[in-house]
Amino acid sequence: MKQLLAVSAVLFTLAPLLDPSPAAQTARVRARDLQIVVGTLPAGPQNAITDVAGVLVGHATIVRGEGTLKVGEGPVRTGVTAILPRPIADLATPVFAGVFSQNGNGELTGCHWVEEAGRCEGPICITNTHSCGTVRDATIKWLVERTGGIGQWALPVTGETFDGYLNDINGFHVQPSHVSAALEGAQEGALAEGNVGGGTGMTCHGFKCGTGTSSRVVSIDRETFTIGVLVQANYGVREELRIAGVPVGRELSKSSVAPRKDQGSILIVVATDAPLLPTQLKRIARRAALGLARNGSYAGNGSGDLFLAFSTANEAAGLVGPATVRALGNDQLDPLFLATVQAVEESIVNALIAADTMVGVNGAKVEAIDRAAVREILAKYGRLVRP
Amino acid sequence: MKQLLAVSAVLFTLAPLLDPSPAAQTARVRARDLQIVVGTLPAGPQNAITDVAGVLVGHATIVRGEGTLKVGEGPVRTGVTAILPRPIADLATPVFAGVFSQNGNGELTGCHWVEEAGRCEGPICITNTHSCGTVRDATIKWLVERTGGIGQWALPVTGETFDGYLNDINGFHVQPSHVSAALEGAQEGALAEGNVGGGTGMTCHGFKCGTGTSSRVVSIDRETFTIGVLVQANYGVREELRIAGVPVGRELSKSSVAPRKDQGSILIVVATDAPLLPTQLKRIARRAALGLARNGSYAGNGSGDLFLAFSTANEAAGLVGPATVRALGNDQLDPLFLATVQAVEESIVNALIAADTMVGVNGAKVEAIDRAAVREILAKYGRLVRP
Amino acid sequence: MKQLLAVSAVLFTLAPLLDPSPAAQTARVRARDLQIVVGTLPAGPQNAITDVAGVLVGHATIVRGEGTLKVGEGPVRTGVTAILPRPIADLATPVFAGVFSQNGNGELTGCHWVEEAGRCEGPICITNTHSCGTVRDATIKWLVERTGGIGQWALPVTGETFDGYLNDINGFHVQPSHVSAALEGAQEGALAEGNVGGGTGMTCHGFKCGTGTSSRVVSIDRETFTIGVLVQANYGVREELRIAGVPVGRELSKSSVAPRKDQGSILIVVATDAPLLPTQLKRIARRAALGLARNGSYAGNGSGDLFLAFSTANEAAGLVGPATVRALGNDQLDPLFLATVQAVEESIVNALIAADTMVGVNGAKVEAIDRAAVREILAKYGRLVRP
Amino acid sequence: MKQLLAVSAVLFTLAPLLDPSPAAQTARVRARDLQIVVGTLPAGPQNAITDVAGVLVGHATIVRGEGTLKVGEGPVRTGVTAILPRPIADLATPVFAGVFSQNGNGELTGCHWVEEAGRCEGPICITNTHSCGTVRDATIKWLVERTGGIGQWALPVTGETFDGYLNDINGFHVQPSHVSAALEGAQEGALAEGNVGGGTGMTCHGFKCGTGTSSRVVSIDRETFTIGVLVQANYGVREELRIAGVPVGRELSKSSVAPRKDQGSILIVVATDAPLLPTQLKRIARRAALGLARNGSYAGNGSGDLFLAFSTANEAAGLVGPATVRALGNDQLDPLFLATVQAVEESIVNALIAADTMVGVNGAKVEAIDRAAVREILAKYGRLVRP
């Protein structure tokens, strides 16, 4: 009963985060609000993965308790983020997809099938490392109950990053109800960033981090396509952090102490409406690493850097029968490659900028990056952009 | 309470299956008992994966209910098989490992890390498709509680094959307690085969199948090494079944009706005490496909054919600091390659021969292969071996 | 001048081998002529890779000299085989393709691009290990001169197997003129097998071997598709040879001595007219290993087992601009997988059956398999098929 | 005869480039000479791949003719660069190695075997795209003649990038004699950069480029290890060029016209004396992409971005018999990962800074980057480092 109450409490506290009204969003600060612009290509209307039509995102955030760690009780600082490649009504229609592992110290289930069939079925959920399996099976359960049928079996894509520095990760607090909440709450439009959903307990380059998103719009052969990115960012050492090419980490680490090792991870999901074949989406996924590199990652041994790219374009992507599919030429992909690199780079900056200082298990505290200091440093290096 | 009772019932019925006494085992019929011998290399004492010293196997079998499917109630025909690469006391010491996907229509968690670090940490569990995540997280939970520490995080290898034809797979009946039971019950010596553990609800080439095991002993440069294999076999069409090169499926299908499509899967775990590097174990894993092929698989689209090979030899396999590791020469591996092919081939035959007819959801019945008929067919083709 | 004369001699001796008249072909014996039938699916009209419409094959065979090895002079027992995925006039149009390495102890150039773009451009040539580079560059040269343009650069697929046991491989006898001869002589219809082209100096399971081919025709959703296979077979130990599941090698090795190690290689090219995406062709390539396994390969350390599959179906496979491509459903691929396995299995048997005893450097002699003995053994095991 | 004279002319002009005396080197300007320092880790004594003990590098540069392109005659602007992982006397001893393809629009032979066996045998040569095969076979020829034995066969690693904008690439001007010259001329110590060897005709981010090198020294567990990098850089669009995080390309492109597409390639070779297993070297190779990204690559479709990493540490790397090998812990690799990223980033800057303006076929001209302008831009963005 206590558990049930806890769950409803969570769902209740979730509400404001999922509020899609502009008011709720303006509370969040993003890189561009600080005159930090990464790359040259234009962003989409929301500068978010949801700029790709039909893609929905929902978060379930679980924050509960304070003080000394009691495994199984808390403190809890975790959650689930759900990315729906298509609206719920169309979720039975797969999307073409490709994956890439820059450093495999992490879990992303479903990849054997993505590699084999070049497609991804159902929602993609992200959570903490030790609840990844529960979230995977709960996704199947939700699919069975909600969509009334998923074929004979499902092999969902579920990922994780580690939040055990702030969260009672061995308490296994994520429940199927949280997965349903994230899935049912998924929506288009502006997205919450920072300490939300699976990103709740993340740390990046020694600063509080979490979920971030960005998008780019490109024109190819007179058609307009969108690349949207969502990251759950938890990697990196402070010294190496670069923002817009500026050595922000080195400047900031002069005055502060940071965790020494790169022990986190980063999950990157790239969505696009460009018509691409599985082979081409694998190429997109591999470019995510290049955006990550620009912020100062060297893909440390402890980091699970796993990337998935999918395209909403071909409704025949399931290839359940003879199908006609459309694809851009390989020679035309450069704008999409560049867009991916830039949107990944900016998503990470957004995740850093949006996150708030958090205190977790045993009083462990991870401070948010000092936004004013970041602006000052970028100004010093001539990299702030006129509004 | 009802649930708890159900679990204890399961644990109770488990006992005889896990009985390591020779008496319990003689009840099971194996390929060699029928004068069917696959390949030329000698088998180990138990002709089982447990012939590799230190490797333990445990099963939790969940059989409950009959008749009409009521999702969440049953009938239940499923389970968990746990393979411990090392005894529990040594389980914190990783083993070098390699993986291969012959057809990725399946799940095998932990593979990103196996690919990256060339090692496998903790037990390998196998269950049904929709409980794979639960078993993965439960394995972490067990590791945390039982071994008192797993480093900061764990990325266990957990696999699955589909048993939804006989089992209420969307009832999600596998619980953490079953995982603990399989892990705690793991032992050396002779193994139960057929309808046990994760193999409980399996079907192979149109016949009831399940778990099977076999081993081979080879001599390299005056040292003796063992290859041990365990399969959870659930793949194939009847027409294509070959045993010892004989077209048994074609002969048998003359008189019976079988499911048409190859919709199952096969998980193959290869253990060895030969000192091999990760690169070399990946080579071993890739040879498992060649053994599978000899029984008539064409790796159908619906089949998740995922293979893992590990070596118990190097205690420094974790590579947590500068280490000295031993490895055989690549030029010396041919006997191990051949042993892998033969042990996989025989493991599948053992799984088929050991399985008993089973009736599951909605009265669905999968018949065991007719052992007498198999012997007759092999005799006709001159392939029975004198005892 | 001597060299030029030698080349023309070769071109002269080539003529009969390339003669497409039925008379020339009937001289060759194939597996089916001996009542050996592998698998159940029907073969195409020529039971050859050329049953896939538009696919052409040409051989340049270089046999010169006898006796003691003088590096650079001979004896020479080598050649080039050229596979054109499309007729010369259409060769600028790429084909979708996929590759797989069962054991990478070999060279197959161009694979980075096949993996990246999922396509293959221009002809595929096969030769001996130490002339693979020369043949690759000569293919580019031919493309530039013959097709008048290949875009800016070419990355042709060129493969090799080792013939140094019979051939003066370090004499580098393959010249660009041989490559042109193989390419220009490429034709449809019946193919020479055994000691021809790149297969000239091959040994397989301890017997003289070489080039072999086979095909299968399947029906999917009321359309008819062909799988055609060509192998250059040079792998295996005698003891393990199986033909149609019968342990022929073990039976034959009772009375003869054979090389002990598996030191050769096998290159397998699979062609199809079924409309398949790159991802799906990679799946086809991976099935080639299953056919190979049935003849007794365990993919020995010394063997370069590299497989390429391509589809002639989509003329837009180059993806040079937005394109519409057609693909079968993944659920429909099983007949093609099975056809691949069977056509590979039979191609190898054809290569063995067609090859003639050869004497090479320093009088080294590799004997052809005894066709009459093979028939007797298959009869004994009840595996000869009524005509 | 004419050809022979041409070759000797080349060898003659080679001499100064290969002069290892400090005087010869000071003629070349490097990034650090301009107060441009990339990253924080210290460089080795030569800031070159040859800082890894035992690694030798030789160049054969072929520059001949001017004016209108006559295929087969010139103008010629190409060459060969040879990297010897070990001194010639030890070249029969393989090195552990790993490869990674960030974008496979290129050739790097020998990779199937590197992937399979985790090792690399003999020298690594780099040349132009259409001579890659010739250089590969010539490497075998040289190995046979010079080292008197390479086992039965060789599968050398040979790479390429495209120089057809400046060079008569379809004239196939690289001869075995150039390969021998590069191999025989290989030496330790300071290296020529820019328009030399395989890098002769390269263009990068719209500027003349070529060969570049750099190194980093790290300390792990009280041992000192070196990472050395050599690049043949031919990729990128001007707009995206970044040096030390500064958008140099955007600044420079305001005043100049540059080729629009990313059509080149980059080959990156990483050498280290750190004892690493093949799996770990593959991890190093994958980090090369992160260094590349920092200079502004998005791995364009036309770019062949292929990376090889090898370790000189284990003399038993050939694994020809049971061997004991040493390896660092995975947890200890972060400094090597970071060193790789930084050395790759600096190598590319060195290649750009060292290259001189070149005029090639049909008067095509590629201008060197304006070093003074680069310094001004870096000064403006506060990124010049005090000497």
Side-chain angles (χ1 to χ4, degrees), chain A residues 190-205:
Chain A
L191 291 183
E193 290 174 303
N195 303 3
V196 293
T200 300
M202 301 294 111
T203 300
C204 201
H205 289 291

PDB file of all heavy atoms in Angstrom, chain A residues 190-205:
ATOM      1  N   ALA A 190       7.175  21.269 -26.952  1.00  0.00           N
ATOM      2  CA  ALA A 190       8.359  21.552 -26.137  1.00  0.00           C
ATOM      3  C   ALA A 190       8.563  20.476 -25.082  1.00  0.00           C
ATOM      4  O   ALA A 190       7.601  19.879 -24.601  1.00  0.00           O
ATOM      5  CB  ALA A 190       8.208  22.910 -25.474  1.00  0.00           C
ATOM      6  N   LEU A 191       9.795  20.244 -24.737  1.00  0.00           N
ATOM      7  CA  LEU A 191      10.122  19.167 -23.804  1.00  0.00           C
ATOM      8  C   LEU A 191      10.807  19.703 -22.550  1.00  0.00           C
ATOM      9  O   LEU A 191      11.575  20.661 -22.630  1.00  0.00           O
ATOM     10  CB  LEU A 191      11.106  18.199 -24.452  1.00  0.00           C
ATOM     11  CG  LEU A 191      10.621  17.339 -25.591  1.00  0.00           C
ATOM     12  CD1 LEU A 191      11.736  16.416 -26.034  1.00  0.00           C
ATOM     13  CD2 LEU A 191       9.418  16.527 -25.140  1.00  0.00           C
ATOM     14  N   ALA A 192      10.529  19.040 -21.453  1.00  0.00           N
ATOM     15  CA  ALA A 192      11.297  19.320 -20.245  1.00  0.00           C
ATOM     16  C   ALA A 192      12.712  18.780 -20.425  1.00  0.00           C
ATOM     17  O   ALA A 192      12.922  17.769 -21.101  1.00  0.00           O
ATOM     18  CB  ALA A 192      10.638  18.646 -19.050  1.00  0.00           C
ATOM     19  N   GLU A 193      13.696  19.456 -19.842  1.00  0.00           N
ATOM     20  CA  GLU A 193      15.088  19.011 -19.928  1.00  0.00           C
ATOM     21  C   GLU A 193      15.707  19.028 -18.533  1.00  0.00           C
ATOM     22  O   GLU A 193      15.115  19.504 -17.562  1.00  0.00           O
ATOM     23  CB  GLU A 193      15.874  19.955 -20.848  1.00  0.00           C
ATOM     24  CG  GLU A 193      15.484  19.849 -22.321  1.00  0.00           C
ATOM     25  CD  GLU A 193      16.176  20.893 -23.185  1.00  0.00           C
ATOM     26  OE1 GLU A 193      16.021  22.088 -22.895  1.00  0.00           O
ATOM     27  OE2 GLU A 193      16.878  20.497 -24.138  1.00  0.00           O
ATOM     28  N   GLY A 194      16.908  18.521 -18.434  1.00  0.00           N
ATOM     29  CA  GLY A 194      17.609  18.516 -17.148  1.00  0.00           C
ATOM     30  C   GLY A 194      17.173  17.351 -16.273  1.00  0.00           C
ATOM     31  O   GLY A 194      17.165  16.195 -16.743  1.00  0.00           O
ATOM     32  N   ASN A 195      16.792  17.649 -15.020  1.00  0.00           N
ATOM     33  CA  ASN A 195      16.485  16.605 -14.037  1.00  0.00           C
ATOM     34  C   ASN A 195      15.109  15.986 -14.239  1.00  0.00           C
ATOM     35  O   ASN A 195      14.254  16.055 -13.348  1.00  0.00           O
ATOM     36  CB  ASN A 195      16.510  17.199 -12.624  1.00  0.00           C
ATOM     37  CG  ASN A 195      17.816  17.868 -12.264  1.00  0.00           C
ATOM     38  OD1 ASN A 195      18.719  17.954 -13.091  1.00  0.00           O
ATOM     39  ND2 ASN A 195      17.921  18.341 -11.032  1.00  0.00           N
ATOM     40  N   VAL A 196      14.879  15.383 -15.384  1.00  0.00           N
ATOM     41  CA  VAL A 196      13.559  14.776 -15.615  1.00  0.00           C
ATOM     42  C   VAL A 196      13.719  13.371 -16.178  1.00  0.00           C
ATOM     43  O   VAL A 196      14.720  13.042 -16.809  1.00  0.00           O
ATOM     44  CB  VAL A 196      12.722  15.603 -16.615  1.00  0.00           C
ATOM     45  CG1 VAL A 196      12.361  16.954 -16.030  1.00  0.00           C
ATOM     46  CG2 VAL A 196      13.455  15.740 -17.943  1.00  0.00           C
ATOM     47  N   GLY A 197      12.717  12.556 -15.936  1.00  0.00           N
ATOM     48  CA  GLY A 197      12.660  11.221 -16.506  1.00  0.00           C
ATOM     49  C   GLY A 197      13.922  10.420 -16.211  1.00  0.00           C
ATOM     50  O   GLY A 197      14.468  10.480 -15.105  1.00  0.00           O
ATOM     51  N   GLY A 198      14.360   9.673 -17.196  1.00  0.00           N
ATOM     52  CA  GLY A 198      15.573   8.888 -17.010  1.00  0.00           C
ATOM     53  C   GLY A 198      16.784   9.744 -16.687  1.00  0.00           C
ATOM     54  O   GLY A 198      17.772   9.279 -16.127  1.00  0.00           O
ATOM     55  N   GLY A 199      16.699  11.025 -17.012  1.00  0.00           N
ATOM     56  CA  GLY A 199      17.824  11.931 -16.782  1.00  0.00           C
ATOM     57  C   GLY A 199      17.888  12.497 -15.370  1.00  0.00           C
ATOM     58  O   GLY A 199      18.823  13.252 -15.049  1.00  0.00           O
ATOM     59  N   THR A 200      16.953  12.122 -14.544  1.00  0.00           N
ATOM     60  CA  THR A 200      16.836  12.733 -13.212  1.00  0.00           C
ATOM     61  C   THR A 200      18.148  12.771 -12.429  1.00  0.00           C
ATOM     62  O   THR A 200      18.515  13.803 -11.867  1.00  0.00           O
ATOM     63  CB  THR A 200      15.745  12.001 -12.396  1.00  0.00           C
ATOM     64  OG1 THR A 200      14.514  12.119 -13.103  1.00  0.00           O
ATOM     65  CG2 THR A 200      15.617  12.593 -10.993  1.00  0.00           C
ATOM     66  N   GLY A 201      18.853  11.650 -12.374  1.00  0.00           N
ATOM     67  CA  GLY A 201      20.029  11.595 -11.502  1.00  0.00           C
ATOM     68  C   GLY A 201      21.375  11.680 -12.218  1.00  0.00           C
ATOM     69  O   GLY A 201      22.386  11.200 -11.701  1.00  0.00           O
ATOM     70  N   MET A 202      21.394  12.294 -13.379  1.00  0.00           N
ATOM     71  CA  MET A 202      22.613  12.267 -14.207  1.00  0.00           C
ATOM     72  C   MET A 202      23.645  13.339 -13.827  1.00  0.00           C
ATOM     73  O   MET A 202      23.288  14.410 -13.339  1.00  0.00           O
ATOM     74  CB  MET A 202      22.233  12.473 -15.681  1.00  0.00           C
ATOM     75  CG  MET A 202      21.270  11.446 -16.240  1.00  0.00           C
ATOM     76  SD  MET A 202      22.012   9.788 -16.304  1.00  0.00           S
ATOM     77  CE  MET A 202      21.077   8.916 -15.030  1.00  0.00           C
ATOM     78  N   THR A 203      24.899  13.031 -14.145  1.00  0.00           N
ATOM     79  CA  THR A 203      26.017  13.955 -13.939  1.00  0.00           C
ATOM     80  C   THR A 203      26.868  13.941 -15.205  1.00  0.00           C
ATOM     81  O   THR A 203      27.146  12.873 -15.751  1.00  0.00           O
ATOM     82  CB  THR A 203      26.886  13.477 -12.758  1.00  0.00           C
ATOM     83  OG1 THR A 203      26.066  13.431 -11.585  1.00  0.00           O
ATOM     84  CG2 THR A 203      28.055  14.415 -12.528  1.00  0.00           C
ATOM     85  N   CYS A 204      27.294  15.115 -15.637  1.00  0.00           N
ATOM     86  CA  CYS A 204      28.004  15.190 -16.916  1.00  0.00           C
ATOM     87  C   CYS A 204      29.179  16.154 -16.779  1.00  0.00           C
ATOM     88  O   CYS A 204      28.984  17.304 -16.367  1.00  0.00           O
ATOM     89  CB  CYS A 204      27.016  15.689 -17.964  1.00  0.00           C
ATOM     90  SG  CYS A 204      27.475  15.312 -19.648  1.00  0.00           S
ATOM     91  N   HIS A 205      30.361  15.726 -17.109  1.00  0.00           N
ATOM     92  CA  HIS A 205      31.544  16.577 -16.966  1.00  0.00           C
ATOM     93  C   HIS A 205      31.627  17.169 -15.561  1.00  0.00           C
ATOM     94  O   HIS A 205      32.069  18.313 -15.381  1.00  0.00           O
ATOM     95  CB  HIS A 205      31.527  17.704 -18.020  1.00  0.00           C
ATOM     96  CG  HIS A 205      31.789  17.211 -19.421  1.00  0.00           C
ATOM     97  ND1 HIS A 205      33.006  16.740 -19.837  1.00  0.00           N
ATOM     98  CD2 HIS A 205      30.974  17.099 -20.495  1.00  0.00           C
ATOM     99  CE1 HIS A 205      32.944  16.376 -21.115  1.00  0.00           C
ATOM    100  NE2 HIS A 205      31.727  16.567 -21.531  1.00  0.00           N
TER     101      HIS A 205
END
